[in-house]
Amino acid sequence: MREMIDINLLLVWGATYKKVQAHETIFREGEPGNYYFQMVSGSAKWLNIDDEGRECIHAIVEPNESFGEFPLFDDGPYAATAIANSDCLLIRLYKPAFLELINENPQILSAFMRLFTKRLRFSYSILRSMSSNSPEIRIANLINHLKTERKSFCPDCDQLKLTRQQIAGMTGLRVETVIRTMRHMHDKGELSISRGKVFCKDMIEVISD
């Protein structure tokens, strides 16, 4: 996947690397946002946590992807929390320098507009699928989106690189429901489960309930 912003360009503008350990919080919902973040290696989940501790995962951030940009553009606080799934290496750029960077490189601003639009479309898709009573539709929509974006799938073997817990957090389902539903989808031939690993080569046909 191509970098959101070339790392060498970020370094020229004063960006620095930051190591984050697995399960460490990178930033919290409600905190002021003072940096542009881009993943170099590892992964993180971008989520909201409700009063009962349940996670609503908006995205799994993978290498070369940016995250937590809202405060950079609207001066508000972080709208969600970012937590490392594994040991991560990030590159970050102080907000004033980031704003100067995009002012001098309008093509980067255009790339962010496309990125935000893509994320908004995905959010609409997830919200629409959550109105369905069918867990299968929710999971199928998520898998189809990830395959379209070439995210969270092994490019060589088509293995889905998400845990059942992460799938539950991204679809609003219980983990037990995800496990049961994906086993049913396996029986129907829509995906394959082998030794606990999930594989899906093709897009899944979604039939509204």
Side-chain angles (χ1 to χ4, degrees):
M1 182 183 295
R2 183 179 177 183
E3 297 163 340
M4 186 62 197
I5 302 178
D6 183 84
I7 288 180
N8 291 323
L9 181 60
L10 290 170
L11 292 172
V12 167
W13 281 82
T16 57
Y17 288 104
K18 179 179 176 61
K19 291 183 178 180
V20 178
Q21 294 183 343
H23 311 303
E24 183 178 344
T25 298
I26 301 169
F27 54 75
R28 288 183 173 83
E29 177 183 356
E31 292 179 344
N34 297 318
Y35 290 94
Y36 166 78
F37 286 97
Q38 188 166 297
M39 187 70 68
V40 178
S41 63
S43 72
K45 51 186 177 182
W46 196 9
L47 74 166
N48 293 110
I49 304 174
D50 67 18
D51 294 336
E52 297 181 2
R54 292 174 299 194
E55 297 182 352
C56 175
I57 301 175
H58 303 295
I60 300 296
V61 184
E62 299 180 342
N64 303 325
E65 294 184 328
S66 63
F67 58 106
E69 305 96 339
F70 289 171
L72 304 176
F73 292 96
D74 68 2
D75 294 324
Y78 285 118
T81 297
I83 301 174
N85 287 323
S86 60
D87 290 347
C88 297
L89 179 63
L90 313 174
I91 189 166
R92 64 180 189 175
L93 180 62
Y94 191 45
K95 179 177 178 178
F98 170 79
L99 295 177
E100 288 187 35
L101 168 62
I102 61 174
N103 283 335
E104 293 196 12
N105 296 271
Q107 75 279 7
I108 295 178
L109 182 58
S110 296
F112 273 107
M113 291 176 64
R114 291 193 295 272
L115 174 66
F116 293 158
T117 300
K118 186 180 295 185
R119 287 177 179 169
L120 188 59
R121 285 187 181 277
F122 173 56
S123 295
Y124 279 134
S125 174
I126 291 297
L127 287 172
R128 184 172 63 250
S129 68
M130 283 186 175
S131 67
S132 169
N133 291 323
S134 169
E136 188 170 330
I137 289 178
R138 298 190 192 187
I139 294 173
N141 278 336
L142 175 62
I143 288 176
N144 287 343
H145 167 76
L146 294 174
K147 292 196 71 69
T148 298
E149 297 299 317
R150 299 179 181 179
K151 279 177 57 67
S152 302
F153 270 96
C154 172
D156 299 318
C157 66
D158 295 309
Q159 180 187 344
L160 178 61
K161 298 293 189 177
L162 293 179
T163 67
R164 308 303 197 272
Q165 182 69 57
Q166 290 170 337
I167 295 171
M170 298 179 79
T171 57
L173 298 169
R174 295 174 59 87
V175 176
E176 296 81 1
T177 302
V178 170
I179 294 172
R180 183 174 61 253
T181 302
M182 295 188 80
R183 173 56 61 180
H184 179 63
M185 295 170 75
H186 166 83
D187 293 341
K188 292 171 60 179
E190 296 175 334
L191 50 82
S192 175
I193 300 176
S194 177
R195 297 181 179 179
K197 298 178 180 180
V198 178
F199 300 84
C200 186
K201 182 177 180 180
D202 302 312
M203 301 287 280
I204 299 174
E205 182 179 3
V206 178
I207 301 175
S208 300
D209 53 0

